[in-house]
Amino acid sequence: MNIFVLMKRTFDTEEKIAISNGRIDEGGAEFIINPYDEYAIEEAIVLRDEHGGEVTVVTVGEEEAEKELRTALAMGADKAVLLDSEDVEEFDQFTTATMLAAYLKEQEYDIILGGNVAVDGGSGQVGPRVAELLDIPQVTTITKLDVADGQATIVRDVEGDEETLEVSLPVLVTAQQGLNEPRYPSLPGIMKAKKKPLETLDLDDLDLEEEDVEAKTTTLDIFLPPDKQAGKQLEGDPQTQVKELVSLLKSEAKVI
């Protein structure tokens, strides 16, 4: 079984993000594998161990993303591919999906997995866009995946409820929290990862021109949410507190 995982390098969710000149300041920030993509990597390894085959992790980024690819290899993936975006001045979800699809069109795949969303952008667009470009079925926000006889039985999260689907392979799925518990790279896994293949491809290798991947959206501004104001503690008996609360909701919060 040929399994591919779409991975993104994102800020560590524990990091404090700084904004400089309308952009996220990457200086000194710590980067990790997008947490939802970790679920996808783990599920790919489990499927590989159960059915045989190979797991290839693919990302769009620059040279710095090799660290996260090596982490995925240390978790148990077999191969890694970096689609180098250094020559792309501005890119968005369209850019990323176009580059991923151009690579995957030349591959043989049974299942493609990705994270449901990236914790930095949160659009959830890349996986579905890739599936559309490849003209294959897609199922998002999955919490369970079973494969047998060329069919996948999938349970997906639907706003707190569940939906069960059956779909023929190949299929692209995006992983939701609860699908599994991602493993930590072991010391032997880290040592083995150093010898596993990591291939780098640029736009020429993908038979793409820069105009083919030009971003379709423009970011006008990036800003942090306003600081939360300190709360107020109401004094007195319940009737007095209710009157004061209603007054504050009218005069300060202006919600009634």
Side-chain angles (χ1 to χ4, degrees):
M1 179 177 289
N2 291 325
I3 307 167
F4 287 81
V5 182
L6 314 180
M7 189 204 79
K8 186 178 184 183
R9 175 180 186 259
T10 62
F11 289 104
D12 189 336
T13 51
E14 301 296 322
E15 283 284 300
K16 183 177 180 180
I17 303 302
I19 304 297
S20 176
N21 297 322
R23 291 181 175 272
I24 296 173
D25 184 4
E26 297 186 4
E30 191 68 30
F31 288 84
I32 58 172
I33 295 174
N34 176 47
Y36 287 93
D37 297 347
E38 288 186 326
Y39 298 124
I41 295 168
E42 175 65 26
E43 196 67 16
I45 294 168
V46 170
L47 287 171
R48 190 266 326 269
D49 292 346
E50 182 179 353
H51 299 280
E54 143 177 301
V55 174
T56 303
V57 179
V58 191
T59 194
V60 174
E62 298 187 16
E63 185 179 354
E64 294 83 357
E66 289 186 7
K67 175 187 172 184
E68 286 68 38
L69 287 173
R70 289 292 179 194
T71 300
L73 293 172
M75 290 175 67
D78 301 291
K79 297 179 180 178
V81 178
L82 171 61
L83 305 182
D84 193 344
S85 62
E86 184 178 3
D87 294 333
V88 183
E89 290 188 10
E90 296 290 340
F91 62 91
D92 58 5
Q93 293 84 1
F94 168 81
T95 309
T96 303
T98 300
M99 293 180 67
L100 288 168
Y103 167 75
L104 289 165
K105 282 177 181 177
E106 303 302 317
Q107 313 304 315
E108 293 185 6
Y109 49 82
D110 297 293
I111 297 180
I112 302 171
L113 298 102
N116 178 41
V117 294
V119 294
D120 52 2
S123 71
Q125 289 188 29
V126 172
R129 281 178 176 270
V130 170
E132 287 295 314
L133 290 169
L134 297 177
D135 194 25
I136 61 174
Q138 57 174 290
V139 183
T140 58
T141 64
I142 74 165
T143 55
K144 187 176 181 182
L145 173 62
D146 294 308
V147 177
D149 302 323
Q151 295 274 334
T153 303
I154 301 168
V155 178
R156 64 185 299 264
D157 177 61
V158 188
E159 298 293 335
D161 208 339
E162 291 184 345
E163 180 181 33
T164 302
L165 304 168
E166 287 188 355
V167 61
S168 299
L169 303 183
V171 64
L172 184 148
V173 299
T174 63
Q176 175 66 299
Q177 186 175 7
L179 175 62
N180 52 50
E181 189 65 36
R183 68 192 70 190
Y184 290 101
S186 63
L187 181 57
I190 294 171
M191 299 305 294
K192 290 178 182 177
K194 295 179 180 179
K195 298 180 180 180
K196 291 181 179 180
L198 194 163
E199 183 180 14
T200 300
L201 303 174
D202 58 21
L203 291 180
D204 288 339
D205 297 319
L206 299 173
D207 197 24
L208 291 172
E209 301 291 339
E210 190 172 348
E211 53 266 28
D212 296 329
V213 296
E214 186 176 341
K216 301 298 183 183
T217 58
T218 301
T219 300
L220 300 179
D221 194 12
I222 296 176
F223 52 90
L224 295 172
D227 293 333
K228 291 183 178 180
Q229 296 181 354
K232 290 187 176 182
Q233 185 171 348
L234 305 181
E235 304 290 344
D237 57 62
Q239 187 174 1
T240 303
Q241 291 180 26
V242 169
K243 288 181 179 179
E244 186 177 356
L245 176 60
V246 172
S247 175
L248 290 170
L249 290 174
K250 287 181 177 179
S251 61
E252 292 191 12
K254 299 186 185 302
V255 295
I256 59 174

